Every structure is written in C-alpha cells, then in structure tokens.
Amino acid sequence: MNEPLAQRLRPKTLADVCGQQHLLAEGQVFRRTIESGRIPNMIFYGPSGTGKTTVARIIAENSGMTLHKLNGTSCGTGDIKAVLKDIGTLAGAGGILLYLDEIQYLNKKQQQSLLECIEDGSVTLIASTTENPYFYIYNALLSRCTVFEFKSLSAADVERGIRNALKKLSESESQPVVMDEDACAYLAESAGGDLRKALGCLDFVVTAAPVDGTGKHITLEMIQQVTRRTAMRYDRDGDDHYDIVSAYQKSMRGSDPNAALHYLARLLEAGDLPSACRRLMVCACEDVGLAYPQIIPIVKAAVDAANMVGLPEARLPLADAVLLVATSPKSNSAHDAINAAIADVQAGRTGPIPRQLQNKHFDGEDAAVKGQNYKYAHDYENHWVDQQYLPDLLKDVKYYTFGDNRAEQAARAYWAKIKGEDKL
C-alpha cells in the first residue's frame, strides 16, 4: 500500500509535534494533564493539518485504555453501540477511550448516544473537528468536554516538519534527500499553515526528484510546480471562509487599503467572486454610507462590471471599488438608525399612524377631530413645515444622529437653519 508521507512520518510523542506550543509546551496545563495519565473528555478544534489527529492518537496510544477509533464521515449509530458493548467486559477493564475524528459529521441522535457513558466515566471521549464546535456539536455533549483550539502552524513550524521529513526520507530512501534552502522556505510559506499539505507536496516531488552527486535533489522550481494553488486554506462553508470575508470587510471599515486588497486577493484566488462582491456592497452602505452617499452607485457599477466580465478580469473593477471604500470617509449613522427603528418595531413599539398621514379622506362619525389636516411640505417656505410624522407613542424618538463627517454636517447645518434650530 502506498501510504502517504504524512501518515508514515506521524509523530509518536508530544515532543515531536510541530507547533501548538500554547498546548504542548512544558508546563502548559494541557501537557501536564495528559502526562498525569488522567485523560478528560476533550474536543480538538482547528484547521486541517495542524496536529489534532496526531495529538489525539498519541494520547490514546499511551493511555493504557482500550482504544476504539471512529470517523464521523463513515460511522453510524451501530458503530458507536459496538464500542459501548465493551463497557463492563474484560476488554474494557482498563477503561475505554473512544477517538472520534470529524465529529461534526455525526447527527444529533448519534452524538446523544454518547452522553450517558461519558457522564458516568465508562467511556473517555477525544473528538476532533475542523468546524466550530459551538455550532456543530450538540450542546449537552459539548458541556461534558473541554474544547482546545489548535491554531494554524507558522511557517517556522511547517519548516521544522519538512526538515524532519527530509531526514527520515533520507533514511528510508537509502540515499540523501536534499532540498535547497529557498525551496524549503517556499514550501513552508506556501502550505498556509497546513503541515499535511506541505508533506503531500514533498512526497510528490521526492518521487520525481533527479539524482545527482548529493542524492535526490529538490529545487525551488520543482516545489513551485506543485504548490502554485496550494498556498491558501479555504472552505466556502467553513470557518476559513467566514474569517476571510470578516477580515475583508473589517479592513475596508478600518480604512486599511493594503489589508483590504490582501483579503480581496484571497477571495478571488479561491474563485469566490460572490462573497467579494456582496461584502463590498455591504461595506459601502454600512461603513461609508452618508459620509459619501455617491459611493453606493459607484460600487454597484463596479460589482456589475466584475460580474459581467468574470474572473480574472473582475479583479480590476473590484480593486478600484475596494480602494475607494477603504480610503473614503466613514459613517455608520444610517446603520445605527435603522437598527434602532427595527428594534422598536420588533418590541411592539408602534401605535396608530397619525391621522394626517393616513391614506383616507373620510372620518367616521365617532372621530373627535374631522379632516385629514395634512400639511403639504411643498406649499411652505423651504419646502418644510413642522408637523408630527411618528405615531404618538414614539413622537419624540430620535433614531438618526448626524455623523461627524463633512457631508452629514453640511446636511445638519442646512436643516438647523431651515428649522430655526441654529438660533436656539
């Protein structure tokens, strides 16, 4: 069987694991708990290729308990019940440890089947997931486990893993496997924090590497041929997607054009044109808004152009619009105002529409005041007249406050003059 390199070189001890020093460094609570031999129920959460499965296997294989391994992508309730049958038998005398990979794929009923045995300690659960456990794991199960986050590996962590792999490959290949320094650094950077991905590329290149006087020789050009599309971690339905689009909008809101372009590039390289366009439109309306109201049709035109020409040319109108949004003055006054109005409506604070605004021209016999009495604003000086528009319940409410940007302050000054408020 052609076993993948990442599997062949999987670390056997916690000290050999690359990265995750916030958990695995000497003296950390996680490390000390594991070394104590008393294994609690745990859920490992983080991106792929960061060591979740490796750490779980090391813990399981050194626990002294009967180990059962299941994968959420393929196991069912029957497989879980088969594990639970060992409870109270000779096979489970030392305790049962269930290692459940990709737990997010189990449905609620399957997850619930584990509750009782985890509660009474007859089974110890170590589960791993690439999705946010607070969204994908049943709350009752989650409350019985401690969640540990595994973070994306740094380039230095990945490079350490690559060098360890080169050393072991040299031993198994019966000849040196040599990689140029720039090739090693490039592979570490291009892996996007995923050591498994880096080792997969390395495995591929080693097979094709020519033999020279130093052994199998891997160059930068060879690495570049297999990593051109591997540098970015992205899943349109997962946390990576939401992290990138969040960073994209927050960078525009924070007026950092360089960061905004970076995250736009990541979205476009992943082919996610819809998300790039949607968040751009939202940001123009929510974060620039009335500070530069003309930006909304401008950004809409850029989005239309991007969708018309498609990728890769779509990057040009989107870059124009992203830079315009990032460098424009900001105001969220409209955002705050509509949210406040919606909150009142949702809370039931509405009331009858004032008579003068109603779309009817006949009063019933019981009406205390007859006649619509609507004042047509254009019949008055400056096209404005003082009258009540909000329902009685809300007549003194103010949802909108002028922002401190030039455009809104100009509007504030205009209406203060018209309404005579500048003389108060």
Side-chain angles (χ1 to χ4, degrees):
M1 182 176 68
N2 187 19
E3 191 177 31
L5 181 61
Q7 181 66 25
R8 299 201 308 269
L9 302 183
R10 196 179 290 277
K12 304 299 182 185
T13 68
L14 294 178
D16 293 333
V17 176
C18 295
Q20 311 309 332
Q21 291 305 294
H22 64 293
L23 300 175
L24 303 179
E26 292 286 349
Q28 295 291 350
V29 171
F30 180 88
R31 176 82 175 255
R32 290 163 58 189
T33 300
I34 300 308
E35 290 176 344
S36 73
R38 298 187 62 181
I39 311 302
N41 298 308
M42 296 180 286
I43 295 173
F44 297 164
Y45 152 56
S48 59
T50 55
K52 299 186 303 298
T53 300
T54 295
V55 171
R57 289 188 175 186
I58 292 171
I59 294 170
E61 291 170 0
N62 291 279
S63 66
M65 292 185 277
T66 301
L67 174 63
H68 292 272
K69 301 177 184 178
L70 295 177
N71 190 295
T73 60
S74 57
C75 77
T77 305
D79 299 298
I80 296 173
K81 288 182 177 179
V83 172
L84 303 186
K85 285 181 180 178
D86 281 352
I87 297 174
T89 67
L90 186 61
I96 297 172
L97 192 149
L98 172 59
Y99 169 52
L100 184 51
D101 201 9
E102 304 292 356
I103 189 176
Q104 74 270 18
Y105 289 106
L106 296 186
N107 60 37
K108 183 176 180 179
K109 182 178 179 181
Q110 291 169 330
Q111 293 185 34
Q112 284 177 320
S113 66
L114 295 168
L115 290 177
E116 185 177 351
C117 61
I118 291 176
E119 183 72 41
D120 63 21
S122 53
V123 171
T124 298
L125 174 69
I126 298 180
S128 64
T129 175
T130 56
E131 304 293 349
N132 191 325
Y134 299 100
F135 295 158
Y136 288 88
I137 297 178
Y138 181 49
N139 190 57
L141 180 60
L142 195 62
S143 68
R144 291 164 171 80
C145 302
T146 303
V147 177
F148 293 97
E149 182 179 4
F150 280 60
K151 300 177 180 179
S152 291
L153 301 181
S154 67
D157 292 330
V158 176
E159 186 167 346
R160 176 190 167 200
I162 294 170
R163 293 190 183 281
N164 290 341
L166 289 171
K167 180 180 178 181
K168 293 179 180 179
L169 280 171
S170 296
E171 296 170 357
S172 62
E173 294 277 337
S174 301
Q175 61 181 321
V177 178
V178 180
M179 178 184 284
D180 291 344
E181 288 294 323
D182 54 356
C184 187
Y186 186 92
L187 178 56
E189 288 284 353
S190 68
D194 187 335
L195 180 56
R196 185 189 299 118
K197 183 182 292 186
L199 295 180
C201 293
L202 179 61
D203 199 10
F204 193 95
V205 170
V206 167
T207 304
V211 178
D212 59 19
T214 61
K216 283 195 170 185
H217 186 194
I218 301 171
T219 65
L220 174 60
E221 182 182 1
M222 295 170 63
I223 292 296
Q224 288 175 330
Q225 289 181 34
V226 297
T227 59
R228 284 179 182 171
R229 296 292 296 181
T230 68
M232 197 177 67
R233 185 191 299 280
Y234 195 78
D235 176 359
R236 289 196 189 191
D237 296 320
D239 288 346
D240 294 320
H241 161 77
Y242 293 107
D243 285 346
I244 291 174
V245 294
S246 176
Y248 173 53
Q249 184 170 350
K250 288 172 181 173
S251 297
M252 287 187 284
R253 177 185 298 147
S255 303
D256 188 328
N258 299 305
L261 285 176
H262 171 77
Y263 294 115
L264 172 64
R266 289 171 70 161
L267 288 170
L268 297 184
E269 279 297 293
D272 195 354
L273 183 58
S275 291
C277 292
R278 178 180 178 276
R279 286 298 182 114
L280 177 57
M281 281 300 313
V282 169
C283 196
C285 298
E286 177 183 345
D287 300 306
V288 177
L290 297 180
Y292 179 19
Q294 297 92 336
I295 199 172
I296 297 173
I298 294 172
V299 170
K300 176 62 164 58
V303 166
D304 288 345
N307 284 307
M308 180 181 295
V309 302
L311 291 169
E313 288 82 2
R315 74 191 187 282
L316 302 173
L318 291 184
D320 290 338
V322 164
L323 288 173
L324 181 62
V325 170
T327 57
S328 290
K330 304 296 189 293
S331 172
N332 69 338
S333 58
H335 166 273
D336 289 349
I338 186 59
N339 284 356
I342 288 173
D344 269 351
V345 172
Q346 290 176 341
R349 293 190 290 272
T350 53
I353 293 173
R355 174 66 184 90
Q356 64 269 23
L357 302 185
Q358 294 174 8
N359 186 33
K360 67 180 181 180
H361 305 283
F362 173 76
D363 295 293
E365 292 298 328
D366 59 342
V369 179
K370 297 187 183 296
Q372 185 163 5
N373 301 311
Y374 170 61
K375 298 176 183 178
Y376 186 58
H378 297 295
D379 288 342
Y380 296 84
E381 185 180 3
N382 297 314
H383 306 271
W384 177 82
V385 61
D386 187 15
Q387 68 181 325
Q388 181 181 331
Y389 292 94
L390 277 168
D392 289 341
L393 182 66
L394 301 168
K395 66 179 182 179
D396 296 321
V397 168
K398 293 187 182 298
Y399 295 121
Y400 173 63
T401 301
F402 289 100
D404 57 4
N405 56 83
R406 184 170 61 180
E408 288 182 87
Q409 284 300 302
R412 184 200 64 76
Y414 171 81
W415 284 110
K417 181 179 179 181
I418 295 300
K419 297 179 181 181
E421 296 171 353
D422 59 339
K423 299 175 182 178
L424 299 180

